[in-house]
Amino acid sequence: MRNTRATQLLFEMSKPSCRAVQLPDCDVPMQPVEELLPREAMAPQPPPLPELAEPDIVRHFVNLSTLNMSVDTHFYPLGSCTMKYNPKRNERLASLPGMIDLHPYQPVSQLQGLLELLYRLQQMLVEIAGLPAVSLQPAAGAHGEMTALLVAAAFFRDLGRKRSVVLIPDGAHGTNPASATVAGFRALAVKSTGSGFVDLEDLAAKLDEQTAVLMITNPNTLGIFERHIGQITQMVHDAGGLVYLDGANMNAILGITRPGDFGADLMHYNPHKTFSGPHGGGGPGAGPIAVAEKLAPYLPGPIVVKDAGGYRLDQNGPKSIGRVRSFFGNTGVLIRTYCYLMTHGPDGLRRVAENAVLNANYLLARVKHIVPVPQGDRCMHEFVASGAKLKADRGIAAADVAKRLLDYGFHAPTVYFPLIVREAMMIEPTETESKATLDAFAETLFRITEEDAELLHDAPHTTSISRPDEVQAARNPILCWAAEAKTAP
Ligand SMILES: *Cc1c(COP(=O)(O)O)cnc(C)c1O
């Protein structure tokens, strides 16, 4: 399948004795390496490194960089992931010498500017969450989930209560049950109703003295705001449990409502989603968490505090769960987050949410006659369409539509998630897209559903790799180029 130059490996392009650099003749006496190193320190043969000229290397990597889709090159409606445009000025500000040339081991007196920025970011995240304490430490959303659950576990341990179960609605992101398990809890699913809300009867039946935490995503992964969120958080609190809000969908409610106000005790942010940090292949994330007052002593440090002497790092107190990451968190993403928040301000953030919801509803209205949206005519910042009818009538699967979209220059929506919708296509346009782009996407979707099913089964047709065998790729990955690895299990 690798037939174009851009998809050849450097190893395959190698030409013996080609070099990217030419060094002048040696002007000191040469000494064989065998005389300098003990025999056992040397490999039997030199490593099989590719040998190439500099232009070939540059072309290889530049060509590779154009094979992928990105928010900078294509519309990217990947539901749940919030692939909004990454403003370039945030990149520029985060790369100022005063930021990137800092070293975390410098004395705190030389880091006052960065610490002030992180302190103010903590304050802003407190305000947006409606929860009084923040740790910037976790390095991703899922890491924030795990960290917050460890905070909850420490809280119950301190109270002398043994609570071992984390309840999670069945539409939740896969990281929720994974984090609960890694943090030492037993994950138990709560059913959803046909309209996509938490089934309150099922929740009531599963709440008991073993319930530590309910992890809830609101708006949920169907793009619906939990109408009964006040009642749900009350039920969990009455049972002695805590409520965790998965904040991946915060961009739908920024400045409109706050997790702390509807009863959440802990939450994480995904700054690489909500606050426009580059992600996917584009960079690392962050997963700051915000918690209620009674949980603050358990947070991982360091936390930036301000006193008469300026800003300093408050290391872990006696009740803290301890470090979850080195230094001050993923500072590069946090600086971009700060720039994003300062650029928009409180009113601007509210407009971000309003436009995200408006764009999603516009697109929903444009596509629902092509791919029905089982959970209704209205959504928050994203919606989940079902290709079930398309599959039954024409044999076209959600995956076929997703792959064919690539031919037309659109990244695919998220497919087959959440699991509770058949042939799910989870579409999230984000607020940074224009009406023209949304129209073009809706028209393309329509065009694809009219195409020959056979053509769609083999799509994409214009990309350098068409349809890899995904099962084979997952079960039998080729992780290194050595010839024998191609046959290794
Ligand atoms: C993205 C996402 C997560 C996990 O966040 P990462 O930053 O990718 O680790 C959790 N829950 C939901 C609903 C998400 O969309």
Side-chain angles (χ1 to χ4, degrees):
M1 247 182 295
R2 285 196 310 265
N3 49 10
T4 70
R5 189 169 172 75
T7 54
Q8 265 192 321
L9 299 178
L10 284 177
F11 294 96
E12 294 165 329
M13 294 160 59
S14 175
K15 289 185 216 79
S17 71
C18 240
R19 290 288 176 273
V21 286
Q22 286 179 352
L23 299 175
D25 288 341
C26 189
D27 59 359
V28 293
M30 298 263 271
Q31 219 180 335
V33 69
E34 292 80 2
E35 287 173 18
L36 297 169
L37 287 177
R39 187 168 262 309
E40 61 275 17
M42 292 192 294
Q45 276 140 26
L49 297 178
E51 297 169 85
L52 292 147
E54 182 171 325
D56 292 331
I57 300 169
V58 170
R59 281 176 200 150
H60 175 74
F61 284 108
V62 173
N63 284 331
L64 272 187
S65 76
T66 64
L67 291 183
N68 221 347
M69 287 189 152
S70 71
V71 273
D72 283 356
T73 53
H74 297 89
F75 177 46
Y76 210 128
L78 193 68
S80 215
C81 297
T82 313
M83 305 301 286
K84 63 169 81 170
Y85 177 67
N86 317 131
K88 296 299 163 255
R89 95 197 259 268
N90 296 349
E91 301 302 307
R92 233 172 31 243
L93 292 169
S95 354
L96 288 175
M99 298 293 181
I100 52 171
D101 292 344
L102 291 177
H103 193 282
Y105 280 142
Q106 271 173 260
V108 159
S109 62
Q110 296 175 4
L111 296 174
Q112 288 296 301
L114 176 67
L115 294 185
E116 177 176 359
L117 183 154
L118 295 177
Y119 178 81
R120 292 170 64 155
L121 177 59
Q122 287 172 188
Q123 302 293 100
M124 290 191 273
L125 295 180
V126 158
E127 189 178 336
I128 296 167
L131 289 165
V134 161
S135 167
L136 300 175
Q137 286 291 300
H143 194 203
E145 293 171 21
M146 185 200 75
T147 305
L149 289 171
L150 292 176
V151 165
F155 168 75
F156 286 119
R157 207 177 308 123
D158 211 16
L159 290 182
R161 287 195 209 128
K162 193 171 159 9
R163 289 180 171 250
S164 58
V165 173
V166 170
L167 297 178
I168 305 171
D170 56 9
H173 196 268
T175 51
N176 289 189
S179 301
T181 307
V182 172
F185 293 100
R186 189 161 70 84
L188 188 61
V190 179
K191 287 196 202 114
S192 306
T193 64
S195 336
F197 297 105
V198 167
D199 183 328
L200 296 182
E201 272 178 37
D202 195 48
L203 175 63
K206 284 171 180 161
L207 277 170
D208 59 21
E209 66 289 343
Q210 280 303 313
T211 310
V213 177
L214 169 75
M215 294 181 92
I216 192 164
T217 311
N218 192 29
N220 65 24
T221 58
L222 295 167
I224 303 175
F225 192 87
E226 282 288 350
R227 196 174 294 167
H228 303 294
I229 189 67
Q231 194 183 338
I232 291 170
T233 53
Q234 189 61 50
M235 286 165 72
V236 177
H237 290 152
D238 288 348
L242 298 171
V243 175
Y244 179 85
L245 179 99
D246 178 327
N249 294 339
M250 281 299 286
N251 62 322
I253 58 173
L254 288 172
I256 295 169
T257 182
R258 308 191 302 172
D261 296 346
F262 58 66
D265 304 291
L266 320 92
M267 69 166 289
H268 79 258
Y269 287 97
N270 301 68
H272 45 291
K273 297 180 181 173
T274 312
F275 304 129
S276 82
H279 61 133
I289 56 173
V291 301
E293 192 75 56
K294 63 183 176 195
L295 299 170
Y298 307 94
L299 282 176
I303 290 172
V304 187
V305 292
K306 185 182 176 185
D307 55 26
Y311 297 92
R312 62 181 177 81
L313 293 164
D314 193 8
Q315 301 298 340
N316 297 315
K319 292 192 167 184
S320 162
I321 62 163
R323 274 190 170 279
V324 295
R325 198 193 176 282
S326 53
F327 305 123
F328 331 142
N330 264 349
T331 334
V333 190
L334 299 171
I335 297 169
R336 288 170 176 81
T337 304
Y338 178 80
C339 298
Y340 184 81
L341 292 174
M342 291 301 285
T343 303
H344 285 287
D347 297 337
L349 282 185
R350 188 186 166 104
R351 277 196 300 279
V352 163
E354 288 169 351
N355 287 329
V357 172
L358 178 65
N359 270 4
N361 278 281
Y362 177 74
L363 197 53
L364 186 157
R366 287 229 41 181
V367 306
K368 68 179 181 192
H369 69 286
I370 319 167
V371 277
V373 180
Q375 273 76 29
D377 278 351
R378 287 280 179 278
C379 63
M380 296 292 286
H381 64 302
E382 65 192 353
F383 60 93
V384 181
S386 169
K389 190 163 179 321
L390 206 55
K391 182 146 191 210
D393 294 351
R394 302 210 42 227
I396 298 172
D400 296 333
V401 176
K403 300 284 186 189
R404 184 64 173 151
L405 278 166
L406 305 177
D407 283 334
Y408 289 105
F410 292 105
H411 194 280
T414 297
V415 288
Y416 303 111
F417 172 74
L419 306 176
I420 52 181
V421 174
R422 283 192 303 141
E423 295 297 313
M425 285 181 241
M426 185 186 209
I427 302 176
E428 177 176 14
T430 83
E431 74 284 359
T432 57
E433 296 300 331
S434 66
K435 179 170 174 296
T437 301
L438 304 186
D439 285 337
F441 178 75
E443 279 148 28
T444 304
L445 203 60
F446 178 65
R447 184 166 165 188
I448 290 173
T449 59
E450 299 277 283
E451 284 183 326
D452 175 37
E454 287 306 312
L455 176 85
L456 299 184
H457 295 328
D458 295 336
H461 299 280
T462 58
T463 53
S464 54
I465 291 180
S466 177
R467 238 192 242 210
D469 181 337
E470 287 171 13
V471 176
Q472 183 75 358
R475 293 270 160 82
N476 193 11
I478 301 169
L479 298 178
C480 74
W481 179 80
E484 62 276 14
K486 291 192 173 171
T487 53

